[in-house]
Amino acid sequence: MSKNLNRIVFLFFSVLVLVSCSSPKPVLSEDKTKTITIKETLHDTVFKIEKDSSSFKALLECQNGKVVLKNVTQAEPGRTLKSPRVRLENNKLSVDCELKEQELYAFWKSQQVKEVEIKTVRTTEFTNVLTFWQKVQIWLGRIFLLVLFFYIGKPFFKFYRPF
């Protein structure tokens, strides 16, 4: 009987030692905030096209009351313009000079992606931490309670024998 009681007390004491009180470790809490900013910009531009010209020079002459071209002295095309078309009909001079239509306006979009991540780390600080002497007193109190339970339970187990 006393062997069983000693084993129970030893087991109880071992469990108390294993589940001893320990000081809490500081808790780290981390907050992450991620912000994505997309900035879209519209750009435009105007293309400047330099001036262009073409020329035509000719000598005119009257023959039988009608005007005719006598001699073409100069016909120059421009950079993009062709030489002008010249027509002389019924004493009327027609000069045509054409330039095809050109696109002068252009635009485009650009995107700027800005990604910002903010990390906030907080630690908990404990203000009331037990000193070494306070921990020794707690352990001595536990040992005293174990010994007290042992001496209180010993007479009880002497009278009550389960076997």
Side-chain angles (χ1 to χ4, degrees), residues 42-46 105-109:
L42 181 67
H43 302 278
D44 62 349
T45 186
V46 175
Y105 181 72
F107 67 93
W108 68 94
K109 290 181 182 179

Side-chain angles (χ1 to χ4, degrees), residues 2 4 15 26 52 54 100 120 141 149:
S2 69
N4 287 337
V15 169
D52 194 12
S54 62
K100 290 187 177 179
T120 307
F149 285 139

